[in-house]
């Protein structure tokens, strides 16, 4: 090797941005990801009414973001009973499946990969969102703190107090699993590339897992084996449909969303992480409060940070971590082996071409929280890409015949 080569190599290394590590390819189940940047599941509440059918705008929105290594779709209710917010899409009706098919087609045409996040909200709902105005269901009849987001008589979104949910009878449990099963079959019919089991953020599966919401005395409550029974029943049902390597699981250990709480999170989530390893799933995806604390300049809760380390140790497989990462921390976490992939949420809302921006170190568009939920194109499909900033025409991605 001559001296010139050595120098230019060194110069190149010095030039290399810190985020380069985010751009190493990665093998995820049967898929080869181009890089390490995942689009996190994001509720956008824009499904067409009646029927909670994803709109043609969603095809545009997801296709614009197809440069993500993997898109995890917005949380999608597995049944009418599984709905907890106005205008979220489902995957339980024929019309919904046909709409998703067109969305997936648009994503695949743009060379993207997309998993469907399967969602049952349990008690985080309201009779106004339930079939025949019935009570939402839960492991135990405990009212959550906070409010439900419903559509009022004027067709507007409104926050209303939660009601006391109905505790599920043990005889009903196979029918809960069946709701996930039907949704997973539908997700295959829609040509999704995989599914993610939403067991995070205080929704139904998490309500069973964590002690604060589960006071059952039958085989679905008490011990950690019992509290995680529903999760593993769902997981096993889905493996029969998708195989393990196209399934991801999302957990939020130490999260507090939707009034969720566990008396012994280390034991509970350590157990789940260890058991999940045996299934050889595509990935485990965690969202943890320490990330947001760290990024906002606060001292991260050491227990929450330790929890991520525990999970990394106990789970033998691909780990995706989410929770408000900035570029430099994301790269550091990959470099230090704390995560294999990083999921970005809010940054993907405002930056359809987020991977490119991270790669070249370009500034980000700011996101507008007033357009997160509900509405149309504004704050959904109208965030500019770098290509548009350079004067290139955006591709018209909405099929006008599809309304
Ligand atoms: C929400 O709609 O606010 C929402 C949905 C799913 C989550 C978190 C938040 O995991």
């Amino acid at each position: 090797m001559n001296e010139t080569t050595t120098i230019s190599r060194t110069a190149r290394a010095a030039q290399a941005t810190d985020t380069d590590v985010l751009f190493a390819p990665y093998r995820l189940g049967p898929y080869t990801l181009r890089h390490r940047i995942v689009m996190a599941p994001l509720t956008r509440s824009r499904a067409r009414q009646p029927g909670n059918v994803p709109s043609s705008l969603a095809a545009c929105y997801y296709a614009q973001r197809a440069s993500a290594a993997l898109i995890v779709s917005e949380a999608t209710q597995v049944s009418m009973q599984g709905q907890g917010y106005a205008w979220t899409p489902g995957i339980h009706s024929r019309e919904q499946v046909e709409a998703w098919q067109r969305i997936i087609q648009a994503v695949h045409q743009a060379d993207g990969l997309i998993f469907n996040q399967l969602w049952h909200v349990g008690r985080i709902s309201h009779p106004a969102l339930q079939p025949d105005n019935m009570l939402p269901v839960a492991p135990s009849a405990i009212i959550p703190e906070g409010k439900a987001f419903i559509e009022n008589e004027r067709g507007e979104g409104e926050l209303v107090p939660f009601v006391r949910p109905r505790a599920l009878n043990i005889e009903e449990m196979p029918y809960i699993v069946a709701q996930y099963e039907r949704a997973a079959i539908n997700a295959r019919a829609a040509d999704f590339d995989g599914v993610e089991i939403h067991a995070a953020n205080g929704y139904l599966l998490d309500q069973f897992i964590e002690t604060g919401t589960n006071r059952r005395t039958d085989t679905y409550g008490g011990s950690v084996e019992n509290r995680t029974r529903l999760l593993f029943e769902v997981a096993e049902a889905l493996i029969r449909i998708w195989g393990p390597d196209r399934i991801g699981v999302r957990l939020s250990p130490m999260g507090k969303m939707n009034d969720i709480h566990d008396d012994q999170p280390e034991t509970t989530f350590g157990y789940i992480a260890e058991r999940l390893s045996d299934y050889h799933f595509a990935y485990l995806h965690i969202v943890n409060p320490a990330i947001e604390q760290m990024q906002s300049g606060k001292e991260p809760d050491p227990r929450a940070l330790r929890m991520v380390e525990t999970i990394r140790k106990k789970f033998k497989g691909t780990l995706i971590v989410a929770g408000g990462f900035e570029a430099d921390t994301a790269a550091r976490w990959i470099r230090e082996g704390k995560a294999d992939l990083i999921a970005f949420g809010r940054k993907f809302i405002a930056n359809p071409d987020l991977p490119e921006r991270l790669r070249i170190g370009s500034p980000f568009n700011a996101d507008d929280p007033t357009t997160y939920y509900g509405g149309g194109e504004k704050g959904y499909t109208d965030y500019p890409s770098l290509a548009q900033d350079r004067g290139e025409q955006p591709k018209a991605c909405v099929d006008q015949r599809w309304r």
Side-chain angles (χ1 to χ4, degrees):
M1 191 192 294
N2 65 36
E3 205 179 343
T4 332
T5 324
T6 317
I7 289 165
S8 66
R9 281 203 184 163
T10 317
R12 241 184 299 143
Q15 254 180 15
T17 62
D18 275 336
T19 52
D20 277 4
V21 69
L22 292 172
F23 292 89
Y26 189 83
R27 186 89 194 155
L28 185 81
Y31 304 113
T32 302
L33 309 186
R34 288 180 292 258
H35 51 74
R36 309 298 183 95
I37 302 152
V38 171
M39 177 169 160
L42 295 158
T43 294
R44 305 306 311 273
S45 305
R46 283 164 165 86
R48 216 159 24 91
Q49 301 306 317
N52 297 313
V53 181
S55 75
S56 52
L57 265 187
C60 182
Y61 164 76
Y62 283 115
Q64 286 174 340
R65 287 157 181 76
S67 67
L70 166 70
I71 296 171
V72 183
S73 81
E74 64 206 280
T76 307
Q77 58 262 11
V78 296
S79 61
M80 288 164 78
Q81 185 190 70
Q83 186 182 357
Y85 302 83
W87 317 315
T88 56
I91 181 114
H92 49 86
S93 76
R94 180 196 294 247
E95 219 187 339
Q96 290 164 346
V97 174
E98 285 172 1
W100 279 117
Q101 262 163 357
R102 285 181 271 200
I103 293 169
I104 310 309
Q105 210 171 44
V107 171
H108 286 166
Q109 263 166 20
D111 221 9
L113 197 66
I114 179 165
F115 277 31
N116 190 202
Q117 198 196 41
L118 300 180
W119 196 28
H120 191 309
V121 298
R123 68 177 190 156
I124 304 301
S125 186
H126 188 274
L129 297 159
Q130 292 289 306
D132 291 330
N133 290 95
M134 296 209 278
L135 287 177
V137 297
S140 303
I142 305 169
I143 310 184
E145 293 263 343
K147 301 223 161 134
F149 182 71
I150 65 158
E151 181 182 329
N152 66 21
E153 311 77 53
R154 293 183 299 284
E156 301 153 352
E158 190 176 320
L159 289 167
V160 295
F162 283 119
V163 300
R164 187 178 296 283
R166 175 177 74 78
L168 283 159
N169 292 319
I170 196 157
E171 292 81 7
E172 295 175 274
M173 299 309 288
Y175 299 95
I176 299 290
V177 178
Q179 291 176 22
Y180 282 90
E181 215 165 1
R182 180 186 56 178
I185 291 169
N186 286 344
R188 275 204 82 133
D191 208 21
F192 273 104
D193 300 299
V195 287
E196 180 175 282
I197 302 172
H198 191 347
N201 297 335
Y203 297 111
L204 183 70
L205 297 175
D206 200 14
Q207 288 159 30
F208 271 88
I209 292 169
E210 305 208 33
T211 56
T213 36
N214 186 341
R215 304 275 162 77
R216 299 179 74 93
T217 53
D218 61 10
T219 51
Y220 289 88
S223 65
V224 65
E225 289 82 358
N226 283 354
R227 285 183 280 119
T228 54
R229 186 175 308 281
L230 181 59
L231 168 65
F232 289 106
E233 285 177 352
V234 168
E236 284 172 23
L238 266 45
I239 287 173
R240 291 192 285 276
I241 298 157
W242 278 94
D245 59 351
R246 288 174 169 84
I247 299 175
V249 176
R250 195 173 212 229
L251 299 171
S252 55
M254 311 270 315
K256 295 192 172 58
M257 196 173 165
N258 291 317
D259 197 21
I260 200 80
H261 162 82
D262 193 85
D263 289 337
Q264 290 186 302
E266 288 84 2
T267 312
T268 299
F269 290 98
Y271 171 85
I272 299 177
E274 216 165 281
R275 249 191 94 184
L276 281 175
S277 300
D278 299 338
Y279 287 88
H280 305 288
F281 285 129
Y283 63 81
L284 171 60
H285 184 180
I286 58 168
V287 51
N288 181 276
I291 317 297
E292 182 96 55
Q293 291 158 354
M294 194 168 59
Q295 298 289 202
S296 59
K298 288 193 209 115
E299 195 54 43
D301 172 0
R303 249 184 101 191
L305 213 47
R306 246 195 338 268
M307 171 67 85
V308 185
E309 288 163 16
T310 303
I311 291 198
R312 181 58 160 170
K313 251 191 245 124
K314 293 197 183 246
F315 180 71
K316 310 275 180 266
T318 296
L319 185 67
I320 309 181
V321 184
F325 276 99
E326 293 297 333
D328 50 349
T329 323
R332 184 160 52 78
W333 275 50
I334 298 284
R335 200 177 310 111
E336 292 175 0
K338 292 178 173 164
D340 300 299
L341 304 166
I342 302 288
F344 292 88
R346 278 160 286 173
K347 279 201 169 51
F348 253 118
I349 288 183
N351 300 279
D353 51 358
L354 182 64
E356 186 185 352
R357 288 176 195 253
L358 288 167
R359 191 170 52 77
I360 65 179
S362 125
F364 302 122
N365 298 322
D367 55 324
D368 171 10
T370 66
T371 53
Y372 281 177
Y373 308 113
E377 293 175 36
K378 187 166 179 297
Y380 191 48
T381 51
D382 67 350
Y383 284 108
S385 63
L386 290 171
Q388 274 166 265
D389 288 347
R390 288 192 296 264
E392 291 171 31
Q393 279 301 312
K395 268 187 260 153
C397 57
V398 177
D399 181 343
Q400 297 301 329
R401 290 161 302 179
W402 178 27
R403 284 283 163 200

